[in-house]
Amino acid sequence: MADNVAQGIENMSLEGDKKLKGLQKKNDKKKAAKEGSPSSGGKKVCEMKPPPEFIASRLVMWDRLKAEQDAEMAAKVPVDITVTLPDGKTVPGQSWRTTPYDIASGISKGLADSCVVAKVNGEVWDLDRVLEGDVKLELIKFDDDEGQAVFWHSSAHILGEAMERVYGGHLCYGPPIEQGFYYDMHSADVNVKDEDYKVLDDLVKNIVKEKQPFERLTMKKSDLMEMFKYNEFKLRILREKVTTETTTVYRCGPLIDLCRGPHVRHTGKIKSMACTKSSATYWEGNSEAESLQRIYGISFPDNKLMKEWKLFQEEAAKRDHRKIGVQQDLFFFHELSPGSCFFQPKGAHIYNKLLSFLKEEYWKRGFQEVISPNIYNHKLWQTSGHWEHYAENMFRFDIEKEAFGLKPMNCPGHCIMFDQKTRPYRE
């Protein structure tokens, strides 16, 4: 009897432990769902507090060297200079004191504040960078291609600052592109997700609100190697790309980055900005190098332009040929052949009709048709220059220990065909 009671108590204890463990697992699951499970990238993304250690050490060096540069600039003796505007009008100024923004403000405060950047003797120039002598000055706005490039380049730096403060990753390249900008980052622990964009966008709004000035500093290469010792990618750029003893860096807020510039005056000029997409990429496009995270963005000097851009994107999405092709049973794409099109019967009919039309137009204009191979030995690409400049972007493979590549264009193959016989000089 006593043994039966003891056994019953033991069973009750085991069942209680199981229930307790079950409740603990449920709580753990709820907590993981709330914070973000490991498979989705760990805890919920937010600004790192405290920030990454490398930011503080970078700023210490910046403060010291910037103070030295400012003292040197202040010690320079100014002389009177003449600033010539595009209409031929001249404005007086002083070397090492007067800036393009000063000249623009003298014309109109509204003009000065609407400008993105200046051009000094044909070179793009920060609005707050002092003039060094007599110059021809142009004031560039956002509606100019160069103005957009500078505006989006500055926006990339703002995005880079947000990425460092949120992910703590090591920044790589962050250039402007045709429509916006991107920044690449290396981190072994980060997998950027769409839901991160709001965190980044909110932080960007704070950065913009702070009106952080873009400051320029010329530094020795040796100092830069020390400043960026934590970032192998910046060190590679310094070792492989920087061939001079000095180069420039720019700072906005806690971000300091290798950069030729120029930039907008301060982050407050970026009135509207948003992250648009992210993707994986490789360092300098080399598939054998490290994998990086890339975040794209777009920005404008006012909210109206952002609304117009978003509306255009929505309309373009409705006309996306990839969707229309599937809806109308013309063609489709498949992950087993990325970027290649599978034409359905209706699509093939349209394709052939267009091809026939093109051929007829070529014949009318005196062209002759030839057919050349799609694959060539790398020796041809070495002769054409493709191998030297574009090898990493070509489809390459080895056949019997020889390197081959798919043709990116017809010209090299046509050159071989042209060389097959002696031709008169008129050809």
Side-chain angles (χ1 to χ4, degrees):
M1 181 70 177
D3 290 342
N4 291 338
V5 171
Q7 184 65 43
I9 291 172
E10 186 177 347
N11 290 340
M12 288 172 65
S13 177
L14 289 170
E15 287 177 7
D17 287 344
K18 286 180 181 178
K19 288 181 180 179
L20 189 62
K21 288 179 180 178
L23 288 171
Q24 184 65 45
K25 283 183 179 180
K26 284 184 179 179
N27 288 333
D28 289 344
K29 284 182 179 179
K30 287 181 180 179
K31 188 175 180 182
K34 191 173 182 181
E35 294 181 349
S37 64
S39 62
S40 64
K43 293 183 178 180
K44 186 176 180 181
V45 169
C46 61
E47 183 175 359
M48 297 176 67
K49 292 183 180 179
E53 292 182 3
F54 61 77
I55 290 180
S57 61
R58 217 168 47 186
L59 290 172
V60 169
M61 180 176 284
W62 167 278
D63 290 340
R64 175 174 60 83
L65 296 176
K66 186 66 164 63
E68 292 176 5
Q69 179 176 281
D70 290 346
E72 290 176 8
M73 295 290 279
K76 291 182 180 290
V77 179
V79 297
D80 292 337
I81 61 172
T82 300
V83 179
T84 304
L85 302 176
D87 61 2
K89 181 182 177 182
T90 59
V91 180
Q94 284 193 314
S95 63
W96 309 111
R97 300 291 183 272
T98 302
T99 67
Y101 184 78
D102 295 331
I103 300 297
S105 296
I107 300 170
S108 162
K109 187 67 164 60
L111 170 66
D113 289 336
S114 66
C115 290
V116 172
V117 71
K119 285 185 82 171
V120 173
N121 295 332
E123 177 187 352
V124 281
W125 197 274
D126 297 297
L127 285 167
D128 286 332
R129 183 179 170 188
V130 293
L131 302 173
E132 300 172 7
D134 293 340
V135 298
K136 291 182 178 179
L137 177 67
E138 298 174 63
L139 300 169
I140 309 299
K141 296 185 179 182
F142 181 78
D143 56 8
D144 185 281
D145 288 345
E146 287 182 297
Q148 288 182 5
V150 169
F151 191 90
W152 285 331
H153 187 188
S154 299
S155 302
H157 277 238
I158 294 174
L159 174 60
E161 178 185 336
M163 290 166 67
E164 278 194 343
R165 290 168 62 176
V166 169
Y167 301 112
H170 294 168
L171 298 180
C172 302
Y173 289 114
I177 53 179
E178 187 175 350
Q179 278 290 312
F181 51 92
Y182 68 77
Y183 226 120
D184 288 344
M185 169 188 70
H186 180 262
S187 174
D189 306 319
V190 171
N191 183 21
V192 178
K193 307 178 295 298
D194 291 354
E195 50 264 37
D196 297 354
Y197 299 166
K198 186 180 186 307
V199 178
L200 292 168
D201 287 343
D202 288 345
L203 182 52
V204 163
K205 287 176 183 176
N206 290 333
I207 293 170
V208 168
K209 191 182 294 184
E210 290 171 3
K211 296 185 178 181
Q212 301 170 357
F214 277 91
E215 300 177 276
R216 182 178 185 270
L217 177 63
T218 300
M219 290 181 60
K220 294 178 182 177
K221 186 174 179 179
S222 56
D223 287 334
L224 289 168
M225 296 291 286
E226 175 64 23
M227 175 179 275
F228 292 105
K229 63 183 180 182
Y230 66 91
N231 187 331
E232 172 58 28
F233 302 93
K234 296 298 182 185
L235 294 180
R236 288 180 197 172
I237 293 172
L238 286 166
R239 287 193 292 261
E240 299 169 14
K241 311 288 186 184
V242 178
T243 57
T244 53
E245 291 185 5
T246 63
T247 190
T248 55
V249 292
Y250 275 79
R251 174 185 175 182
C252 64
L255 175 74
I256 301 169
D257 202 5
L258 291 170
C259 184
R260 288 193 295 265
H263 286 283
V264 298
R265 296 185 65 228
H266 56 74
T267 57
K269 293 294 181 181
I270 314 299
K271 300 294 184 184
S272 187
M273 176 170 159
C275 296
T276 55
K277 63 179 179 177
S278 61
S279 67
T281 186
Y282 295 105
W283 168 251
E284 295 189 337
N286 182 1
S287 61
E288 297 178 359
E290 295 89 341
S291 179
L292 309 175
Q293 295 286 311
R294 174 175 294 179
I295 301 178
Y296 291 86
I298 189 70
S299 63
F300 296 98
D302 63 61
N303 290 321
K304 181 184 176 184
L305 289 173
M306 176 65 83
K307 289 178 181 177
E308 291 174 355
W309 180 85
K310 286 184 176 179
L311 179 61
F312 179 83
Q313 299 305 308
E314 291 171 4
E315 292 299 318
K318 294 176 186 176
R319 295 164 176 76
D320 188 338
H321 70 279
R322 292 167 297 183
K323 294 180 180 178
I324 294 172
V326 173
Q327 290 167 357
Q328 298 186 2
D329 198 28
L330 301 176
F331 54 79
F332 65 90
F333 296 90
H334 197 281
E335 62 183 8
L336 293 180
S337 185
S340 301
C341 190
F342 292 77
F343 284 97
Q344 303 280 30
K346 294 177 185 177
H349 177 75
I350 295 173
Y351 178 93
N352 288 326
K353 284 290 184 183
L354 288 172
L355 198 60
S356 297
F357 171 74
L358 285 172
K359 288 182 177 181
E360 288 173 5
E361 293 301 313
Y362 279 139
W363 295 331
K364 287 178 185 178
R365 289 160 176 77
F367 287 92
Q368 292 178 305
E369 187 175 359
V370 296
I371 299 174
S372 59
N374 291 320
I375 301 170
Y376 295 92
N377 189 289
H378 75 288
K379 294 172 184 176
L380 175 63
W381 305 126
Q382 287 177 329
T383 301
S384 68
H386 287 83
W387 208 255
E388 179 183 356
H389 298 289
Y390 312 112
E392 68 275 10
N393 296 318
M394 294 174 64
F395 289 97
R396 298 173 294 168
F397 44 88
D398 292 334
I399 299 176
E400 297 180 352
K401 298 182 180 180
E402 286 280 348
F404 284 75
L406 287 175
K407 66 178 180 184
M409 60 198 314
N410 288 320
C411 307
H414 289 176
C415 289
I416 291 176
M417 297 179 81
F418 188 85
D419 192 45
Q420 286 306 292
K421 66 179 182 179
T422 303
R423 298 178 184 271
Y425 73 91
R426 287 188 177 86
E427 291 190 37

